[in-house]
């Protein structure tokens, strides 16, 4: 229309388009960084807990002057809550890796749009991680403090390294939950309709 009246076309739409592209790429970069951080946290949690194993040797009896010993071994597979924890973190890690690879390619191509399907799946993965971490945390608390009412003794005084490594993996998993929550909030803000559009 400006050309018909002998005026130069305004540069504002081009500048607005360029700023929207830059903003879109920045949001996409933030999403990738959050997702890569969640990938790292959940991978560390799954690997540390998956390799968690400790043995403890105790004297169970003394025959004459010779002590009889027995070796007790614990590993993550002994408790279903820890198995669920490892599986949940492994699923979250694989999912985040797949999405990072796809989003990175889209960012390079300049087409960063956070899909609603990815956002919904992110919510499911966040809930899966939260339930796995909560189940493992309840077992960790039981292992550390025992339960006087049920006459279950604490085991962390015997299997200290196992409990410390389990605690590290729990902290890493809860960090992954927090990162997935932040990712969901950023994704919801990106997908929300804006006023004036």
């Amino acid at each position: 229309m400006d050309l018909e009246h002998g005026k130069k076309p305004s540069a504002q739409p081009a500048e607005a388009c360029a700023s929207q592209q830059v903003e879109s790429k920045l949001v996409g970069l933030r999403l990738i960084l959050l997702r890569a951080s969640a990938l790292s946290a959940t991978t560390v949690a799954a690997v540390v807990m998956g390799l968690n194993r400790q043995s403890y040797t105790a004297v169970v009896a003394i025959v004459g002057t010779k002590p009889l010993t027995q070796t007790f071994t614990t590993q993550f597979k002994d408790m279903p809550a820890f198995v669920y924890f490892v599986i949940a973190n492994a699923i979250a890690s694989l999912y985040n890796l797949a999405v990072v690879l796809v989003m990175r390619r889209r960012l390079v191509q300049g087409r960063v749009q956070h899909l609603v399907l990815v956002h919904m799946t992110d919510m499911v993965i966040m809930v899966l991680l939260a339930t796995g971490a909560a189940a493992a945390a309840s077992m960790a608390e039981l292992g550390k403090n025992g339960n006087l009412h049920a006459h279950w003794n604490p085991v962390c005084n015997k299997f200290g390294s196992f409990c410390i490594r389990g605690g590290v993996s729990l902290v890493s998993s809860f960090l992954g939950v927090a990162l997935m929550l932040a990712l969901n909030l950023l994704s919801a803000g990106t997908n929300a309709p804006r006023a004036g559009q």
Side-chain angles (χ1 to χ4, degrees), residues 60-79:
V60 292
I62 297 177
V63 178
T65 59
K66 188 173 185 178
L68 293 176
T69 60
Q70 181 168 357
T71 301
F72 300 96
T73 301
T74 187
Q75 53 189 346
F76 86 97
K77 292 186 274 187
D78 294 339
M79 287 157 265

Side-chain angles (χ1 to χ4, degrees), residues 10-179:
S10 62
Q12 288 178 353
E15 289 174 7
C17 183
S19 71
Q20 284 179 347
Q21 286 179 343
V22 169
E23 183 181 334
S24 176
K25 282 193 177 191
L26 285 176
V27 168
L29 188 61
R30 278 187 231 135
L31 290 170
I32 288 176
L33 288 175
L34 273 173
R35 193 172 298 281
S37 299
L39 167 66
S40 299
T42 55
T43 301
V44 166
V47 169
V48 169
M49 185 64 85
L51 298 176
N52 200 2
R53 177 188 174 106
Q54 184 181 357
S55 295
Y56 166 71
T57 303
V59 176
V60 292
I62 297 177
V63 178
T65 59
K66 188 173 185 178
L68 293 176
T69 60
Q70 181 168 357
T71 301
F72 300 96
T73 301
T74 187
Q75 53 189 346
F76 86 97
K77 292 186 274 187
D78 294 339
M79 287 157 265
F82 290 161
V83 173
Y84 176 61
F85 174 84
V86 170
I87 291 170
N89 279 281
I91 289 171
S93 297
L94 291 174
Y95 167 75
N96 281 321
L97 178 63
V99 175
V100 161
L101 294 175
V102 170
M103 283 183 68
R104 185 187 57 139
R105 187 169 18 124
R106 291 179 68 150
L107 182 65
V108 169
Q109 294 171 353
R111 299 182 301 133
V112 178
Q113 297 169 344
H114 202 67
L115 303 173
V116 174
L117 178 64
V118 173
H119 176 63
M120 295 297 193
T121 311
D122 284 348
M123 284 193 255
V124 171
I125 293 297
M126 184 187 70
V127 170
L128 179 70
L129 274 177
T131 57
S138 69
M139 289 304 296
E141 194 278 329
L142 185 63
K144 183 176 181 186
N145 299 322
N147 187 330
L148 295 177
H149 300 292
H151 301 289
W152 292 339
N153 295 326
V155 295
C156 284
N157 55 349
K158 306 277 192 281
F159 298 101
S161 297
F162 180 83
C163 291
I164 289 170
R165 287 188 296 267
V168 167
S169 66
L170 277 170
V171 168
S172 183
S173 183
F174 277 115
L175 179 63
V177 171
L179 289 167

